[in-house]
Amino acid sequence: MKTDIVLAGVGGQGILSIAATIGMAALHSNLQLKQSEVHGMSQRGGAVQSHMRVSNKEIASDLIPMGAADIILSVEPMESLRYLPFLSNDGWLVTNSTPFINIGNYPNIDDVIAEIKKFKNHIIIDADKIVGEFGSKRSSNIVMLGAASPFFNIPFESFEEGIRKIFGRKGDDVVETNLKALRAGREFTEKNRS
Amino acid sequence: MQKLLLLGDEAIAQGALDAGMSGIYAYPGTPSTEITEYVQASKFAKENNIHSMWSANEKTAMESALGMSYAGKRAMVCMKHVGLNVAADAFINASITGANGGLIVVAADDPSMHSSQNEQDSRFYAKFAMIPILEPVNQQEAYEMAYYGFELSEKFKLPVMIRITTRLAHSRAGVKPLPLRKQNEITLPSDLRQFVLLPAIARRNYKGLLNSQAGLEQESEKSKFNTYFDGKDKSLGIITTGIAYNYLMENFQDKPLDFPVLKICQYPIPRTQVMKMVKECKKILVIEEGYPIVEEMLKGYQESGTPVVGRLDGTLPRDGELNPNIVALALGFDTKTDDRIPEIVKNRPPSMCTGCGHIDAYVALGQALSEYSEGRVFSDIGCYTLGALPPYNAINSCVDMGASITMAKGAADAGLIPAVAVIGDSTFTHSGMTGLIDCVTEKSPVTIIISDNFTTGMTGGQDSKALGKIEDICIGIGVHPDHIKVFKPTKKNMDEMVQVIKEELAYNGVSVIIPRRQCIQTMKNKILVDKVKELGL
Ligand SMILES: Cc1ncc(C[n+]2csc(CCOP(=O)(O)OP(=O)(O)O)c2C)c(N)n1
């Protein structure tokens, strides 16, 4: 039982906080983990990705083979498409719908969404709006993780435990907000998956 | 003991701490930076007085580590691959002096040039210096190699290289730690002339180095990091080095692997194991992350013998990082090769942050230079290198750290006057200062812009040695104080900035212009903000 995830976004959007939470969740479920991150130059507003592999068996490569990812989890819509060659045919593409525009030739957002919808299994979620319903904008990444959580071979309780471990130092309020964000994301997917 | 979830870089740091290291020395550089940062953040390191401050550059780091080794304590020095070029003089000669306390040199290579100017393979340097290399396959080995590396170094009294590449440096996995070892006490070398490389002593030491090669090879033969997995299908034998082994195994997750495989992670190359494979197999495939070093050694110039394939004959690509699909192709497996992405996806290269002071400096420079012909701005390495990209198109060179000032000088010598250098504060103290002496000595007509943001920005905001010292350094080197100009790069100050730059461009001698404003990424760094206030910058 393995789950291969490509995390995508733009440098500075904090995809590593999602990765850290998945890591904790995997540890809590006694699973093996390899997580390849992008540090360095691209973090200056460039496209960034992280390959995350979780399995109950030993994991060989730090990189996911092309065509083998179970999930693309992107916090930015155009970035979700950049890693399509990695997604397996029956994988899930889960993306935030709010564009991050720091280049002059950013395409029309409706066209981007239309392109995403061409892929059979997709979840497009306005994480910033969902987060707006109960406060902290910073939790939108955790909404995204919640939205992707049904496609992991990891029990939901482990994600909740991951949140408690990662945010515990910042106090109960922060933990509660992020747990809410996680659940809101999951609910959205359960309602909208076809 | 509980498993720790660590980056390859962090695993090396933790391994070194547990092995009784007394000091780590480094200048930041992707993908090596997190090794030193891990030690800097470690409570254990603080409590045990383990040195971890940044050095001015890789050469000073290498020499300080050698000094700590001379005093009998265990030291580690870390750098990115091109940093080893800077440290090369000290590095090569350290194999002639030998080590006293355990000495590990970590070189982090960057195949595919994710954040670098080239993809040179540091294993060549270790081979050149004739010292052992440890090249971990995963985070656990990275940890164990730091631990074992000190032992190996102390056993042979030689520096040891740990070579990693970006993928392992920045990938996280569980690591099981080993029991803690105590730091060494100060013990000087038994021969107090061991480190005096006068020819007579150097010749003796060099013979010693040559004589130790057989022992090092012996060590590789029995190393637990090198493994020969025999297989019944001798039509092919596969040699992997470092993390290439993982990409091989990724391709055999759901099928049996019947070819003999030699996993090499410790060098010199274990000759008997290699020869066994060469003798028994019809063909050898060598899979290496980096340059085809082992492949070239096996192949040599003779066309006879067992055929060897790999990066040299196109079985694998000659350049770039490996991945599971590339290795699948080399094995003749069916694999996905179509990496096209929808046309709608546009490139998103890294860029200077909105509000960055470098941008205002470039805008002013562009305006001041508008009356001259193009192509006279020599830049350097840092966030400001991104000024090469549109819409700025502001620079004409980026070669190696410090090269801005000296290339501007050479161009001015050739008659390209005025010539402009653009360099960051940290790069200036890394290796810009020495070039400035050349300029001052010859009164070269160069305008040097030291874009001071109080930090080593590109690598994540590490301390800058230049903080609060730039004017004094320049005056000390001999720049006339009338031609050292400081301003705050903002849109509001644009006219004044353009005017100042114009005046200095027209001056027939060395000028230093310092646009000075804190890197916006460091605004949350309270220690730095307070320090800047205290210095009145
Ligand atoms: C020899 C060498 N060492 C380290 C690096 C990595 N490196 C690239 S840019 C940089 C920081 C430069 O800092 P600074 O000059 O202050 O410019 P900033 O990024 O802050 O604008 C470093 C350490 C390198 N490219 N070459």
Side-chain angles (χ1 to χ4, degrees), chain B residues 335-500:
Chain B
T335 184
K336 182 171 168 146
T337 51
D338 183 2
D339 60 357
R340 273 175 308 167
I341 57 177
E343 225 165 85
I344 195 167
V345 179
K346 299 291 179 281
N347 270 345
R348 198 188 305 253
S351 55
M352 287 184 280
C353 310
T354 313
C356 170
H358 293 322
I359 295 178
D360 295 307
Y362 274 133
V363 171
L365 176 64
Q367 287 185 24
L369 275 172
S370 59
E371 30 195 278
Y372 299 94
S373 62
E374 319 187 280
R376 52 181 79 237
V377 181
F378 300 88
S379 190
D380 225 297
I381 306 205
C383 287
Y384 49 93
T385 315
L386 298 169
L389 305 175
Y392 314 108
N393 305 311
I395 62 170
N396 308 108
S397 77
C398 153
V399 181
D400 65 270
M401 290 188 77
S404 56
I405 296 178
T406 31
M407 280 184 72
K409 179 187 182 300
D413 292 346
L416 187 67
I417 298 170
V420 179
V422 179
I423 187 169
D425 48 313
S426 179
T427 303
F428 179 65
T429 43
H430 177 284
S431 49
M433 298 173 354
T434 40
L436 183 57
I437 297 184
D438 286 349
C439 296
V440 167
T441 315
E442 295 190 39
K443 297 197 173 52
S444 306
V446 291
T447 303
I448 297 164
I449 298 183
I450 305 178
S451 196
D452 183 10
N453 59 3
F454 308 143
T455 193
T456 317
M458 179 62 97
T459 42
Q462 294 79 14
D463 292 345
S464 169
K465 299 262 163 185
L467 187 64
K469 301 195 193 87
I470 298 177
E471 290 93 313
D472 288 348
I473 292 172
C474 292
I475 291 169
I477 286 174
V479 180
H480 197 288
D482 288 351
H483 292 284
I484 299 177
K485 300 281 169 64
V486 184
F487 53 66
K488 185 167 186 171
T490 58
K491 289 198 178 54
K492 209 177 83 214
N493 292 347
M494 197 55 70
D495 291 345
E496 179 208 332
M497 285 151 55
V498 174
Q499 191 51 39
V500 169

Side-chain angles (χ1 to χ4, degrees), chain A residues 146-157:
Chain A
S149 64
F151 311 121
F152 280 79
N153 287 314
I154 295 180
F156 190 66
E157 303 75 59

Side-chain angles (χ1 to χ4, degrees), chain B residues 454 517-526 528-529:
Chain B
F454 308 143
R517 177 150 71 78
Q518 185 165 349
C519 164
I520 56 168
Q521 295 285 348
T522 62
M523 288 305 186
K524 280 197 205 126
N525 178 345
K526 207 178 157 316
L528 180 61
V529 171

Side-chain angles (χ1 to χ4, degrees), chain A residues 10 33-37 39-41 44-47 53 60-63 65-67 76 78-79 81-82 84-85 100 102-103 105-107 111-112 115, chain B residues 5 7 30 34 115 139 167 170-173 246-247 249-250 253 322-325 336 338-342 344-351 383 386 457:
Chain A
V10 180
L33 167 84
K34 274 198 176 178
Q35 180 213 333
S36 164
E37 305 174 355
H39 295 211
M41 200 151 170
R44 295 270 159 275
R53 315 192 75 186
S61 162
D62 298 82
L63 289 174
M66 265 202 289
E76 206 279 345
M78 183 178 81
E79 293 308 319
L81 292 167
R82 197 181 298 281
L84 267 189
F100 184 96
N102 66 345
I103 48 171
N105 57 346
Y106 194 95
D111 296 344
V112 173
E115 189 71 38
Chain B
L5 195 54
L7 293 177
T30 314
E34 291 81 3
S115 302
Q139 293 76 357
R167 203 47 66 187
H170 290 162
S171 176
R172 214 176 276 284
N246 302 336
Y247 300 133
M249 296 318 285
E250 185 66 32
Q253 291 297 300
L322 296 172
N323 64 43
N325 302 85
K336 182 171 168 146
D338 183 2
D339 60 357
R340 273 175 308 167
I341 57 177
I344 195 167
V345 179
K346 299 291 179 281
N347 270 345
R348 198 188 305 253
S351 55
C383 287
L386 298 169

